[in-house]
């Protein structure tokens, strides 16, 4: 899939690359999650997943979409998970048929470095992730 270039129209406009990231980016992905969690005034709003959990997700049941600066720094991450037949698959809650359950993807976590908040990165990563799921 083509890399999406997101150009926001906020006062602090930012040109970033939105793309899928692999396990080789695990440490950088988790660092963004950790820094975003620390920056919140209310630490109950976002609980950072453990490094081990993120590694397991990327290796077995999901993928990451990242926003990167032109210099390559990851500044935001969105984790998707395919829950499969798991009990927590939200498809069960809306009455999907068993054959449809395998097509469900969840947003597992999203984090943006504080200096990039309010620039539309979550939306751009979501659009990219949905397109990747549809065409992947």
């Amino acid at each position: 899939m083509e890399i999406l270039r997101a150009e926001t129209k906020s006062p602090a406009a930012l040109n970033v690359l939105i793309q899928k990231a692999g396990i080789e980016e695990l440490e950088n992905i988790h660092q963004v999650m950790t820094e975003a969690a620390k920056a919140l005034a209310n630490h109950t709003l976002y609980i950072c997943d453990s490094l081990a959990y993120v590694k397991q997700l990327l290796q077995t049941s999901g993928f990451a979409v990242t926003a990167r600066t032109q210099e390559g720094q990851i500044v935001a991450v969105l984790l998707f998970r395919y829950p499969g037949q798991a009990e927590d698959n939200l498809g069960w809650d809306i009455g999907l048929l068993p054959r449809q359950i395998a097509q469900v993807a969840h947003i597992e976590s999203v984090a943006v470095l504080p200096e990039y908040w309010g620039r539309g990165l979550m939306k751009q990563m979501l659009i990219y992730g949905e397109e990747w799921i549809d065409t992947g």
Side-chain angles (χ1 to χ4, degrees):
M1 170 176 247
E2 182 178 323
I3 294 174
L4 176 67
R5 294 191 183 275
E7 294 188 37
T8 64
K9 298 190 183 345
S10 70
L14 175 71
N15 187 14
V16 297
L17 300 175
I18 306 294
Q19 63 189 64
K20 189 171 176 273
I23 192 73
E24 68 280 356
E25 295 287 358
L26 175 64
E27 298 285 338
N28 295 327
I29 288 168
H30 193 259
Q31 183 65 33
V32 169
M33 295 170 71
T34 301
E35 289 181 33
K38 287 179 184 175
L40 293 172
N42 181 345
H43 295 289
T44 64
L45 294 177
Y46 178 73
I47 308 293
C48 182
D49 292 314
S50 71
L51 182 66
Y53 178 79
V54 175
K55 181 179 181 179
Q56 177 191 7
L57 182 135
L58 294 177
Q59 289 178 326
T60 63
S61 61
F63 66 97
V65 173
T66 59
R68 297 172 185 269
T69 64
Q70 293 299 314
E71 297 76 31
Q73 176 194 8
I74 296 175
V75 297
V77 62
L78 177 60
L79 298 179
F80 287 90
R81 180 174 72 96
Y82 297 106
Q85 300 294 319
E87 193 174 300
D88 72 336
N89 186 325
L90 298 174
W92 298 121
D93 295 338
I94 62 170
L96 292 181
L97 299 172
R99 72 182 190 296
Q100 296 170 308
I101 290 295
Q103 299 171 331
V104 172
H106 291 182
I107 294 174
E108 194 69 12
S109 187
V110 62
V112 179
L113 292 179
E115 56 268 33
Y116 296 91
W117 290 350
R119 299 187 187 192
L121 296 179
M122 288 173 39
K123 179 180 178 181
Q124 294 300 320
M125 291 185 302
L126 180 60
I127 290 168
Y128 182 93
E130 287 177 339
E131 290 175 0
W132 194 88
I133 289 167
D134 289 343
T135 61

